[in-house]
Amino acid sequence: MPFSTTHPRNDRRLVFTSSQAASYLGVSLATIRRWTDAGHISCYRTPGGQRRFSRDQLDSFLSSMHRDSSSAAHRPAKVA
């Protein structure tokens, strides 16, 4: 699924919950949990153990995904 780098103008939050981060990235809550557990997206934990994401972290992740997908398009296909 391609990622979009455009975000709603009224989304000026600086800190996101897991559900809000999932919505912001256009993925499921389970996907956000898998990505953070795997270290693909960094987050911090509240004293209660809940994940929190900064907007910068999410935007950086989107940018890295965009770079990775565009560089993969320029690699030659492997011949078996």
Side-chain angles (χ1 to χ4, degrees):
M1 167 169 53
F3 291 100
S4 171
T5 57
T6 59
H7 307 293
R9 286 180 178 222
N10 63 357
D11 199 349
R12 300 193 186 279
R13 277 186 284 262
L14 298 178
V15 177
F16 293 79
T17 64
S18 295
S19 296
Q20 291 167 335
S23 177
Y24 187 73
L25 297 178
V27 298
S28 71
L29 180 57
T31 298
I32 288 292
R33 289 179 181 144
R34 278 194 309 273
W35 286 348
T36 56
D37 291 345
H40 299 302
I41 301 177
S42 54
C43 68
Y44 62 93
R45 300 277 184 153
T46 66
Q50 297 177 345
R51 293 173 175 95
R52 292 292 184 265
F53 304 85
S54 73
R55 183 177 183 155
D56 287 341
Q57 289 169 317
L58 298 176
D59 289 342
S60 293
F61 175 74
L62 279 177
S63 294
S64 72
M65 291 300 292
H66 187 272
R67 279 192 312 268
D68 290 348
S69 66
S70 65
S71 67
H74 296 291
R75 283 188 219 134
K78 291 184 179 181
V79 178

